[in-house]
Amino acid sequence: MSETQPIDALRHLEQEALSAIAEAAEERALEEVRVAYLGRKEGKISAVMRLLGTVPAEERPALGQEANRVKEAVARAIESRGRILAGPGGGGHHDLTLPARRAWKGARHPVTQTIDDIWGIFRQMGFTRARGPEADSEWYNFVALNTPLDHPAADEQDTLYLVDSVLLRSHTSPVQMRTMEKHDPPIRIIAPGWVYRRDTYDATHTPVFLQIEGLVVDEGITFVDFKATLAEFARRYWGPDTQVRFRPSFFPFTEPSAEVDVKRVITRPDGTRQETDWLEIMGAGMVDPNVLDNAGYDSERFTGFAFGMGPARIAKLKHGVDDLRTFFDDDVRFLSQFAR
Ligand code: DAH
């Protein structure tokens, strides 16, 4: 047995015990934790103490000291958790007629859930996750993406500039370039993140919001891969009966570009099935060769597709929420409806 092993085991047990203590929601659970770690017979920490006799004499003092420290730390944590669980004036005066204390459990924000679900689907399709800075340059946010600075999107009316040519990214598309700079093809990434725009704060706009960017680049990627991948995503997210429509559109960094709509089939409470209207879910397209050139890729050899979507919008459609701002208010009464 190497020198550090028992000490590592002790520290690991300590962390484990401390989280179990923090999670103990009532005194009985806390007592179970105590027995599991400090119990004379079966306690895991007591078991390590018993091993002390078997380690070489010169290691014993250090290990003994650490074992005592851990034991005391765990005992102290149990004691203070016990005081909290016993409540004010605790110490055995329980009013058994009081309603049980409700254990508050945290949950992921509905927009985070949406991102996780979307990411989960792409992960199964072989994508990895990428990220980039929120403060970025005009080059990454616009120019490298084939968007000249006199394009309306680059206007100071819409974009929050920090200094000179540095801005708060207005979309997650700059992560495309930042990823291609660092990695050779094949590229298959999903990049969720915050983006910023000079927008009013109203039911359908927030000046800070989340986007999810996707990028695929390789040899031989075609329009068929593009349509099939996004249609497959839509069917996995919204259900196998979902119809997908690609409407011609324009983005400077894709050619051709499309807006992708879905039409879902929902089952009403009485069991009848009904089609929804077409819902726009993302912008997308085949990566413009200029963008590949800007990344230093050989655009004769490589092709790809890209897409960008707004998870808050998707969460809004999914849950029938009519005001985006409710996702930002952090009102637990609203958010707890989505806990799962
Ligand atoms: N960046 C675009 C926006 O913010 C969304 C988008 C459209 C991203 C098409 C893409 C794309 O990657 O191919 O509106």
Side-chain angles (χ1 to χ4, degrees):
M1 197 185 269
S2 96
E3 236 174 71
T4 55
Q5 271 179 357
I7 288 218
D8 288 349
L10 265 170
R11 291 183 184 152
H12 178 75
L13 279 177
E14 175 182 19
Q15 287 318 313
E16 204 183 273
L18 293 178
S19 16
I21 292 164
E23 274 162 30
E26 45 168 48
E27 287 171 301
R28 193 186 320 165
L30 185 63
E31 174 59 12
E32 279 167 17
V33 177
R34 193 192 64 75
V35 173
Y37 289 90
L38 300 180
R40 224 171 285 276
K41 268 204 218 127
E42 273 146 67
K44 296 184 195 174
I45 293 174
S46 316
V48 176
M49 303 284 274
R50 275 198 300 278
L51 280 179
L52 268 179
T54 68
V55 301
E58 66 275 15
E59 287 170 22
R60 224 172 283 156
L63 191 59
Q65 224 171 27
E66 183 64 6
N68 277 322
R69 186 193 65 73
V70 168
K71 197 174 137 183
E72 276 162 30
V74 171
R76 260 198 317 277
I78 290 176
E79 199 188 289
S80 74
R81 181 77 188 149
R83 270 198 301 274
I84 291 168
L85 293 179
H93 306 287
H94 299 296
D95 180 351
L96 297 178
T97 64
L98 283 174
R101 196 184 295 258
R102 197 148 77 100
W104 280 92
K105 219 172 125 204
R108 283 172 307 155
H109 191 282
V111 179
T112 307
Q113 288 175 19
T114 306
I115 293 176
D116 289 350
D117 292 347
I118 292 171
W119 154 238
I121 292 170
F122 283 104
R123 186 184 47 196
Q124 287 177 344
M125 297 203 249
F127 284 66
T128 56
R129 218 155 138 150
R131 60 193 296 175
E134 287 170 29
D136 212 339
S137 64
E138 277 178 333
W139 164 257
Y140 286 104
N141 198 76
F142 296 123
V143 183
L145 292 168
N146 205 35
T147 312
L149 289 177
D150 56 12
H151 187 277
D155 198 316
E156 290 196 27
Q157 296 279 331
D158 298 310
T159 306
L160 287 151
Y161 276 78
L162 295 174
V163 287
D164 290 338
S165 58
V166 181
L167 43 78
L168 291 172
R169 64 180 179 192
S170 59
H171 52 177
T172 43
S173 302
V175 184
Q176 293 187 22
M177 189 57 55
R178 291 203 167 262
T179 306
M180 289 191 280
E181 262 179 3
K182 270 184 273 166
H183 303 281
D184 289 333
I187 300 280
R188 232 186 272 134
I189 55 137
I190 289 294
W194 291 106
V195 303
Y196 302 81
R197 281 184 205 171
R198 253 177 216 262
D199 253 332
T200 50
Y201 189 57
D202 63 27
T204 51
H205 299 87
T206 56
V208 183
F209 59 104
L210 286 156
Q211 279 193 338
I212 301 179
E213 191 76 16
L215 175 69
V216 171
V217 182
D218 200 356
E219 254 170 316
I221 299 287
T222 66
F223 200 71
V224 173
D225 299 306
F226 164 62
K227 288 185 72 174
T229 306
L230 295 181
E232 176 63 16
F233 156 72
R235 283 191 291 264
R236 288 201 202 173
Y237 188 81
W238 281 281
D241 297 333
T242 303
Q243 297 173 58
V244 184
R245 171 171 89 176
F246 293 75
R247 251 182 313 114
S249 182
F250 175 80
F251 298 102
F253 29 91
T254 44
E255 182 56 38
S257 304
E259 251 147 353
V260 184
D261 301 336
V262 294
K263 190 193 263 292
R264 290 184 302 147
V265 178
I266 51 173
T267 307
R268 293 224 297 266
D270 65 4
T272 55
R273 287 155 69 75
Q274 192 197 359
E275 286 189 348
T276 65
D277 291 335
W278 286 104
L279 308 168
E280 185 195 320
I281 54 155
M282 64 171 106
M286 298 302 288
V287 180
D288 192 295
N290 289 335
V291 174
L292 298 171
D293 290 337
N294 288 338
Y297 283 9
D298 179 356
S299 59
E300 297 285 320
R301 185 169 155 214
F302 296 106
T303 50
F305 61 86
F307 50 95
M309 54 189 139
R313 212 185 109 73
I314 291 173
K316 183 174 174 273
L317 295 173
K318 176 165 181 168
H319 297 299
V321 169
D322 53 16
D323 190 329
L324 271 182
R325 288 170 293 192
T326 47
F327 286 135
F328 279 84
D329 289 342
D330 287 344
D331 182 333
V332 174
R333 291 167 302 179
F334 169 76
L335 295 175
S336 61
Q337 302 174 82
F338 310 105
R340 62 170 199 213

PDB file of all heavy atoms in Angstrom, residues 161-182:
ATOM      1  N   TYR A 161     -21.209  47.872 -27.952  1.00  0.00           N
ATOM      2  CA  TYR A 161     -19.752  47.976 -28.053  1.00  0.00           C
ATOM      3  C   TYR A 161     -19.168  48.275 -26.680  1.00  0.00           C
ATOM      4  O   TYR A 161     -19.746  49.036 -25.909  1.00  0.00           O
ATOM      5  CB  TYR A 161     -19.362  49.084 -29.036  1.00  0.00           C
ATOM      6  CG  TYR A 161     -19.379  48.587 -30.462  1.00  0.00           C
ATOM      7  CD1 TYR A 161     -20.582  48.450 -31.146  1.00  0.00           C
ATOM      8  CD2 TYR A 161     -18.199  48.217 -31.101  1.00  0.00           C
ATOM      9  CE1 TYR A 161     -20.603  47.976 -32.440  1.00  0.00           C
ATOM     10  CE2 TYR A 161     -18.216  47.736 -32.403  1.00  0.00           C
ATOM     11  CZ  TYR A 161     -19.417  47.611 -33.070  1.00  0.00           C
ATOM     12  OH  TYR A 161     -19.431  47.125 -34.347  1.00  0.00           O
ATOM     13  N   LEU A 162     -18.035  47.689 -26.376  1.00  0.00           N
ATOM     14  CA  LEU A 162     -17.350  47.995 -25.119  1.00  0.00           C
ATOM     15  C   LEU A 162     -16.357  49.127 -25.370  1.00  0.00           C
ATOM     16  O   LEU A 162     -16.488  50.219 -24.845  1.00  0.00           O
ATOM     17  CB  LEU A 162     -16.640  46.748 -24.580  1.00  0.00           C
ATOM     18  CG  LEU A 162     -17.596  45.616 -24.189  1.00  0.00           C
ATOM     19  CD1 LEU A 162     -16.822  44.358 -23.814  1.00  0.00           C
ATOM     20  CD2 LEU A 162     -18.499  46.018 -23.031  1.00  0.00           C
ATOM     21  N   VAL A 163     -15.353  48.852 -26.195  1.00  0.00           N
ATOM     22  CA  VAL A 163     -14.430  49.891 -26.651  1.00  0.00           C
ATOM     23  C   VAL A 163     -14.132  49.614 -28.103  1.00  0.00           C
ATOM     24  O   VAL A 163     -14.197  48.464 -28.548  1.00  0.00           O
ATOM     25  CB  VAL A 163     -13.088  49.859 -25.867  1.00  0.00           C
ATOM     26  CG1 VAL A 163     -13.271  50.377 -24.457  1.00  0.00           C
ATOM     27  CG2 VAL A 163     -12.478  48.474 -25.863  1.00  0.00           C
ATOM     28  N   ASP A 164     -13.754  50.661 -28.830  1.00  0.00           N
ATOM     29  CA  ASP A 164     -13.391  50.551 -30.248  1.00  0.00           C
ATOM     30  C   ASP A 164     -14.018  49.361 -30.947  1.00  0.00           C
ATOM     31  O   ASP A 164     -15.215  49.349 -31.192  1.00  0.00           O
ATOM     32  CB  ASP A 164     -11.866  50.487 -30.398  1.00  0.00           C
ATOM     33  CG  ASP A 164     -11.244  51.833 -30.045  1.00  0.00           C
ATOM     34  OD1 ASP A 164     -11.997  52.832 -30.123  1.00  0.00           O
ATOM     35  OD2 ASP A 164     -10.066  51.876 -29.671  1.00  0.00           O
ATOM     36  N   SER A 165     -13.190  48.351 -31.200  1.00  0.00           N
ATOM     37  CA  SER A 165     -13.716  47.248 -32.012  1.00  0.00           C
ATOM     38  C   SER A 165     -14.073  46.034 -31.156  1.00  0.00           C
ATOM     39  O   SER A 165     -14.229  44.940 -31.661  1.00  0.00           O
ATOM     40  CB  SER A 165     -12.678  46.870 -33.063  1.00  0.00           C
ATOM     41  OG  SER A 165     -11.487  46.517 -32.402  1.00  0.00           O
ATOM     42  N   VAL A 166     -14.168  46.257 -29.840  1.00  0.00           N
ATOM     43  CA  VAL A 166     -14.535  45.153 -28.946  1.00  0.00           C
ATOM     44  C   VAL A 166     -15.994  45.316 -28.523  1.00  0.00           C
ATOM     45  O   VAL A 166     -16.424  46.405 -28.158  1.00  0.00           O
ATOM     46  CB  VAL A 166     -13.627  45.113 -27.699  1.00  0.00           C
ATOM     47  CG1 VAL A 166     -13.999  43.945 -26.805  1.00  0.00           C
ATOM     48  CG2 VAL A 166     -12.166  45.039 -28.114  1.00  0.00           C
ATOM     49  N   LEU A 167     -16.713  44.213 -28.569  1.00  0.00           N
ATOM     50  CA  LEU A 167     -18.154  44.292 -28.320  1.00  0.00           C
ATOM     51  C   LEU A 167     -18.613  43.083 -27.507  1.00  0.00           C
ATOM     52  O   LEU A 167     -17.856  42.141 -27.288  1.00  0.00           O
ATOM     53  CB  LEU A 167     -18.881  44.322 -29.668  1.00  0.00           C
ATOM     54  CG  LEU A 167     -18.382  43.362 -30.755  1.00  0.00           C
ATOM     55  CD1 LEU A 167     -18.870  41.951 -30.536  1.00  0.00           C
ATOM     56  CD2 LEU A 167     -18.820  43.862 -32.119  1.00  0.00           C
ATOM     57  N   LEU A 168     -19.854  43.150 -27.041  1.00  0.00           N
ATOM     58  CA  LEU A 168     -20.470  41.963 -26.442  1.00  0.00           C
ATOM     59  C   LEU A 168     -21.091  41.200 -27.599  1.00  0.00           C
ATOM     60  O   LEU A 168     -21.869  41.775 -28.362  1.00  0.00           O
ATOM     61  CB  LEU A 168     -21.522  42.376 -25.416  1.00  0.00           C
ATOM     62  CG  LEU A 168     -20.937  43.017 -24.156  1.00  0.00           C
ATOM     63  CD1 LEU A 168     -22.046  43.580 -23.266  1.00  0.00           C
ATOM     64  CD2 LEU A 168     -20.098  42.016 -23.374  1.00  0.00           C
ATOM     65  N   ARG A 169     -20.724  39.954 -27.764  1.00  0.00           N
ATOM     66  CA  ARG A 169     -21.146  39.229 -28.968  1.00  0.00           C
ATOM     67  C   ARG A 169     -22.665  39.299 -29.122  1.00  0.00           C
ATOM     68  O   ARG A 169     -23.405  39.154 -28.132  1.00  0.00           O
ATOM     69  CB  ARG A 169     -20.659  37.779 -28.936  1.00  0.00           C
ATOM     70  CG  ARG A 169     -21.264  36.957 -27.815  1.00  0.00           C
ATOM     71  CD  ARG A 169     -20.729  35.527 -27.841  1.00  0.00           C
ATOM     72  NE  ARG A 169     -21.306  34.757 -26.746  1.00  0.00           N
ATOM     73  CZ  ARG A 169     -20.872  33.561 -26.377  1.00  0.00           C
ATOM     74  NH1 ARG A 169     -19.844  32.995 -26.993  1.00  0.00           N
ATOM     75  NH2 ARG A 169     -21.456  32.918 -25.387  1.00  0.00           N
ATOM     76  N   SER A 170     -23.113  39.510 -30.365  1.00  0.00           N
ATOM     77  CA  SER A 170     -24.550  39.659 -30.606  1.00  0.00           C
ATOM     78  C   SER A 170     -25.176  38.329 -31.014  1.00  0.00           C
ATOM     79  O   SER A 170     -26.376  38.240 -31.218  1.00  0.00           O
ATOM     80  CB  SER A 170     -24.795  40.707 -31.680  1.00  0.00           C
ATOM     81  OG  SER A 170     -24.149  40.323 -32.881  1.00  0.00           O
ATOM     82  N   HIS A 171     -24.339  37.299 -31.149  1.00  0.00           N
ATOM     83  CA  HIS A 171     -24.814  35.947 -31.428  1.00  0.00           C
ATOM     84  C   HIS A 171     -23.699  34.961 -31.055  1.00  0.00           C
ATOM     85  O   HIS A 171     -22.582  35.386 -30.746  1.00  0.00           O
ATOM     86  CB  HIS A 171     -25.265  35.783 -32.885  1.00  0.00           C
ATOM     87  CG  HIS A 171     -24.273  36.213 -33.934  1.00  0.00           C
ATOM     88  ND1 HIS A 171     -24.501  36.083 -35.258  1.00  0.00           N
ATOM     89  CD2 HIS A 171     -23.035  36.779 -33.827  1.00  0.00           C
ATOM     90  CE1 HIS A 171     -23.459  36.533 -35.955  1.00  0.00           C
ATOM     91  NE2 HIS A 171     -22.562  36.967 -35.095  1.00  0.00           N
ATOM     92  N   THR A 172     -24.020  33.673 -31.056  1.00  0.00           N
ATOM     93  CA  THR A 172     -22.978  32.693 -30.706  1.00  0.00           C
ATOM     94  C   THR A 172     -22.178  32.265 -31.933  1.00  0.00           C
ATOM     95  O   THR A 172     -21.245  31.475 -31.822  1.00  0.00           O
ATOM     96  CB  THR A 172     -23.596  31.440 -30.039  1.00  0.00           C
ATOM     97  OG1 THR A 172     -24.772  31.070 -30.759  1.00  0.00           O
ATOM     98  CG2 THR A 172     -23.932  31.688 -28.586  1.00  0.00           C
ATOM     99  N   SER A 173     -22.514  32.813 -33.105  1.00  0.00           N
ATOM    100  CA  SER A 173     -21.806  32.401 -34.320  1.00  0.00           C
ATOM    101  C   SER A 173     -20.290  32.619 -34.268  1.00  0.00           C
ATOM    102  O   SER A 173     -19.558  31.855 -34.913  1.00  0.00           O
ATOM    103  CB  SER A 173     -22.421  33.079 -35.549  1.00  0.00           C
ATOM    104  OG  SER A 173     -23.792  32.740 -35.630  1.00  0.00           O
ATOM    105  N   PRO A 174     -19.759  33.634 -33.536  1.00  0.00           N
ATOM    106  CA  PRO A 174     -18.295  33.734 -33.479  1.00  0.00           C
ATOM    107  C   PRO A 174     -17.613  32.469 -32.944  1.00  0.00           C
ATOM    108  O   PRO A 174     -16.432  32.247 -33.236  1.00  0.00           O
ATOM    109  CB  PRO A 174     -18.031  34.938 -32.564  1.00  0.00           C
ATOM    110  CG  PRO A 174     -19.339  35.398 -32.054  1.00  0.00           C
ATOM    111  CD  PRO A 174     -20.399  34.829 -32.920  1.00  0.00           C
ATOM    112  N   VAL A 175     -18.344  31.646 -32.225  1.00  0.00           N
ATOM    113  CA  VAL A 175     -17.730  30.396 -31.739  1.00  0.00           C
ATOM    114  C   VAL A 175     -17.374  29.479 -32.921  1.00  0.00           C
ATOM    115  O   VAL A 175     -16.440  28.683 -32.836  1.00  0.00           O
ATOM    116  CB  VAL A 175     -18.663  29.660 -30.731  1.00  0.00           C
ATOM    117  CG1 VAL A 175     -17.977  28.418 -30.172  1.00  0.00           C
ATOM    118  CG2 VAL A 175     -19.071  30.589 -29.600  1.00  0.00           C
ATOM    119  N   GLN A 176     -18.093  29.650 -34.045  1.00  0.00           N
ATOM    120  CA  GLN A 176     -17.736  28.868 -35.245  1.00  0.00           C
ATOM    121  C   GLN A 176     -16.275  29.096 -35.601  1.00  0.00           C
ATOM    122  O   GLN A 176     -15.493  28.166 -35.776  1.00  0.00           O
ATOM    123  CB  GLN A 176     -18.591  29.301 -36.447  1.00  0.00           C
ATOM    124  CG  GLN A 176     -20.061  28.988 -36.332  1.00  0.00           C
ATOM    125  CD  GLN A 176     -20.799  29.307 -37.635  1.00  0.00           C
ATOM    126  OE1 GLN A 176     -20.204  29.375 -38.699  1.00  0.00           O
ATOM    127  NE2 GLN A 176     -22.108  29.497 -37.549  1.00  0.00           N
ATOM    128  N   MET A 177     -15.937  30.399 -35.740  1.00  0.00           N
ATOM    129  CA  MET A 177     -14.592  30.762 -36.166  1.00  0.00           C
ATOM    130  C   MET A 177     -13.559  30.380 -35.112  1.00  0.00           C
ATOM    131  O   MET A 177     -12.494  29.857 -35.421  1.00  0.00           O
ATOM    132  CB  MET A 177     -14.572  32.269 -36.418  1.00  0.00           C
ATOM    133  CG  MET A 177     -13.324  32.772 -37.065  1.00  0.00           C
ATOM    134  SD  MET A 177     -12.971  31.968 -38.640  1.00  0.00           S
ATOM    135  CE  MET A 177     -14.497  32.271 -39.530  1.00  0.00           C
ATOM    136  N   ARG A 178     -13.908  30.635 -33.854  1.00  0.00           N
ATOM    137  CA  ARG A 178     -12.951  30.344 -32.783  1.00  0.00           C
ATOM    138  C   ARG A 178     -12.660  28.832 -32.715  1.00  0.00           C
ATOM    139  O   ARG A 178     -11.561  28.433 -32.387  1.00  0.00           O
ATOM    140  CB  ARG A 178     -13.475  30.855 -31.440  1.00  0.00           C
ATOM    141  CG  ARG A 178     -13.502  32.370 -31.403  1.00  0.00           C
ATOM    142  CD  ARG A 178     -13.457  32.912 -29.990  1.00  0.00           C
ATOM    143  NE  ARG A 178     -13.168  34.338 -30.004  1.00  0.00           N
ATOM    144  CZ  ARG A 178     -11.959  34.852 -29.814  1.00  0.00           C
ATOM    145  NH1 ARG A 178     -10.925  34.062 -29.602  1.00  0.00           N
ATOM    146  NH2 ARG A 178     -11.793  36.155 -29.838  1.00  0.00           N
ATOM    147  N   THR A 179     -13.653  28.020 -33.031  1.00  0.00           N
ATOM    148  CA  THR A 179     -13.436  26.579 -33.010  1.00  0.00           C
ATOM    149  C   THR A 179     -12.602  26.136 -34.208  1.00  0.00           C
ATOM    150  O   THR A 179     -11.657  25.351 -34.068  1.00  0.00           O
ATOM    151  CB  THR A 179     -14.799  25.841 -33.027  1.00  0.00           C
ATOM    152  OG1 THR A 179     -15.585  26.334 -31.949  1.00  0.00           O
ATOM    153  CG2 THR A 179     -14.618  24.346 -32.892  1.00  0.00           C
ATOM    154  N   MET A 180     -12.939  26.682 -35.379  1.00  0.00           N
ATOM    155  CA  MET A 180     -12.212  26.259 -36.587  1.00  0.00           C
ATOM    156  C   MET A 180     -10.752  26.692 -36.536  1.00  0.00           C
ATOM    157  O   MET A 180      -9.882  26.014 -37.080  1.00  0.00           O
ATOM    158  CB  MET A 180     -12.901  26.823 -37.835  1.00  0.00           C
ATOM    159  CG  MET A 180     -14.230  26.145 -38.112  1.00  0.00           C
ATOM    160  SD  MET A 180     -14.896  26.553 -39.739  1.00  0.00           S
ATOM    161  CE  MET A 180     -15.623  28.158 -39.428  1.00  0.00           C
ATOM    162  N   GLU A 181     -10.490  27.828 -35.875  1.00  0.00           N
ATOM    163  CA  GLU A 181      -9.103  28.272 -35.734  1.00  0.00           C
ATOM    164  C   GLU A 181      -8.276  27.291 -34.933  1.00  0.00           C
ATOM    165  O   GLU A 181      -7.096  27.114 -35.163  1.00  0.00           O
ATOM    166  CB  GLU A 181      -9.086  29.589 -34.962  1.00  0.00           C
ATOM    167  CG  GLU A 181      -8.981  30.782 -35.822  1.00  0.00           C
ATOM    168  CD  GLU A 181      -8.991  32.035 -34.975  1.00  0.00           C
ATOM    169  OE1 GLU A 181      -9.021  31.959 -33.712  1.00  0.00           O
ATOM    170  OE2 GLU A 181      -8.974  33.096 -35.569  1.00  0.00           O
ATOM    171  N   LYS A 182      -8.924  26.692 -33.935  1.00  0.00           N
ATOM    172  CA  LYS A 182      -8.187  25.817 -33.020  1.00  0.00           C
ATOM    173  C   LYS A 182      -8.121  24.375 -33.507  1.00  0.00           C
ATOM    174  O   LYS A 182      -7.233  23.638 -33.116  1.00  0.00           O
ATOM    175  CB  LYS A 182      -8.848  25.840 -31.629  1.00  0.00           C
ATOM    176  CG  LYS A 182      -8.276  26.929 -30.738  1.00  0.00           C
ATOM    177  CD  LYS A 182      -8.877  26.856 -29.346  1.00  0.00           C
ATOM    178  CE  LYS A 182     -10.148  27.643 -29.281  1.00  0.00           C
ATOM    179  NZ  LYS A 182     -11.048  27.529 -28.252  1.00  0.00           N
TER     180      LYS A 182
END
